[in-house]
Amino acid sequence: MFVLAKSERWLRIILPIFMLIVFTMTIMDSTVNYLGHHDWKMGDWLINYAGGWVRRGFLGELFIVLSKTTGINPGIYVTVFQILLYFTYFLFSYLLLRKQKSIIPFVFLIFSPFIFTFQLNDFQGGYRKEIIYFAFLSFIAWSRFSLDFQKFEKVFVLSLIVYPFVVLSHEMLFLFIPYIVLTYTFDKKINIKLIRFISILVFPSFLAFIFSVMHQGSIEHAAAIHQSLADAHYSMNKRGAIFALQYDAGYWAEKLNVFIEKKNYIYTYIISIGLSLAAFMPVRAQLQIILARWHGKALVVGSLIATVLIASIAVDWGRFIYINLVSLFILSLLAATVLPVDTTKNKLEGSCKSQSGMLVVVIFLIWALFWHIPHCCGQSMFAKRLTNLNSHLLIKPAYRLYRKLNR
């Protein structure tokens, strides 16, 4: 028991330090993205309605309006908003972790190469609009645990009232609403009244999704958006997220087929999923709570099926996997708050006392340092050089920012 308590105490000291370091490095890379006018990590947020209604344009239009009103270029608004979203996600995840009876079962998830450090381990993969969803989900999950149910219900309702604007900013985020719904329903029995209540709240987001799908965009839209950004003194390269608006699902399906044939796509992501799910083994009791009722299983499976469907016409498989993993992580934190006892306590104590404890540490370090989930495009998932270790990638944003500022 002493060894376990000592490990728990040290982890609770290390956790905020680790998250502060990750957040600081995230800020640095966000600044690098801003200074470099990154065509995906900035461009995706600056899609707007300059050329007429188009999918993913709501937030970009808001930033353009703010820029015209204040004279501040829209890239600054994007950077500040990204930082606030990561702060929200990190803060409420930390608050949920701090409330766990033990955080030892979450060690593999906390220090994994995907829950908090995905944006650092894959330079091209982070800072995309799923962080809006992460901020929503983590705050809603924290509210479910920390507030009385009446206050939580108000938070839940207000969040789903606002969520259509999130969907108008990126239609893909509609597919993950089931995880948000689970924060409300995971311990409830389903009845007609509850179904009607949830349906009414979700329906506006569904309409926003349909509207977005119907306004795919064109080369004319892209040209108008680029001109609007040039007028706002934050021009973008004519490629990346804005340029990609003109391509339909058929184009991306063809590109995906090339990656599958030549880039070991299926192998890479099957291995990534397997390594990722291994981190959930110590918290499987928490996940069983989420999936205990039939509707819990149905909601999670629904999001997973939707993910598979969108992955059939899109290349960002790593991002899709990442979104589902973060969702399950946050829900496991919420479920853990209603566990009557720490079901892993005895097993962990036995592991700490045994000589195999050192082997577990070695396996953990190899697992945490030598791989990551590539966001797309056939990148290697394994560290082939010491400079590709995740520990090195964790501090690399400081080097990138230094070089950017001293050019």
Side-chain angles (χ1 to χ4, degrees), residues 129-146:
K129 289 176 180 174
E130 56 264 25
I131 61 177
I132 308 173
Y133 163 73
F134 293 162
F136 264 76
L137 184 62
S138 57
F139 172 65
I140 294 168
W142 173 84
S143 300
R144 175 67 199 267
F145 176 68
S146 301

Side-chain angles (χ1 to χ4, degrees), residues 178-179 181-183 185-188 190 284 286-306 324 328 331:
Y179 289 114
V181 172
L182 261 178
T183 64
T185 66
F186 78 93
D187 58 349
K188 292 183 176 297
I190 292 295
R284 59 188 181 275
Q286 287 86 338
L287 291 178
Q288 286 170 357
I289 289 178
I290 298 298
L291 302 175
R293 299 180 185 273
W294 70 265
H295 68 271
K297 297 181 181 70
L299 287 168
V300 171
V301 169
S303 269
L304 294 177
I305 291 175
N324 282 285
L328 291 173
L331 289 175

Side-chain angles (χ1 to χ4, degrees), residues 14-67:
I14 293 170
L15 176 61
I17 297 172
F18 169 73
M19 295 191 71
L20 180 60
I21 292 172
V22 173
F23 181 60
T24 301
M25 294 299 143
T26 300
I27 293 174
M28 289 185 179
D29 251 355
S30 186
T31 306
V32 170
N33 297 334
Y34 164 73
L35 295 173
H37 295 227
H38 198 284
D39 49 5
W40 287 100
K41 294 188 286 185
M42 298 296 292
D44 192 31
W45 297 81
L46 291 170
I47 296 170
N48 59 64
Y49 299 139
W53 291 105
V54 68
R55 63 193 175 105
R56 309 180 186 181
F58 176 77
L59 265 180
E61 184 67 20
L62 178 61
F63 293 140
I64 288 292
V65 170
L66 286 172
S67 177

Side-chain angles (χ1 to χ4, degrees), residues 11 15 18-19 22 89 93 97 103-118 121 273 275-284 286-287 322 324-333 336 364 367-368 371 373:
L11 280 171
L15 176 61
F18 169 73
M19 295 191 71
V22 173
Y89 166 45
S93 295
L97 279 165
I103 61 173
I104 292 177
F106 295 91
V107 165
F108 274 80
L109 288 166
I110 293 168
F111 298 103
S112 73
F114 50 88
I115 293 297
F116 295 120
T117 59
F118 179 86
N121 294 329
I273 291 171
L275 289 172
S276 301
L277 291 180
F280 285 91
M281 291 300 292
V283 297
R284 59 188 181 275
Q286 287 86 338
L287 291 178
Y322 164 55
N324 282 285
L325 292 172
V326 170
S327 302
L328 291 173
F329 165 69
I330 293 173
L331 289 175
S332 70
L333 290 172
F364 168 73
W367 181 88
W371 73 284
I373 304 175

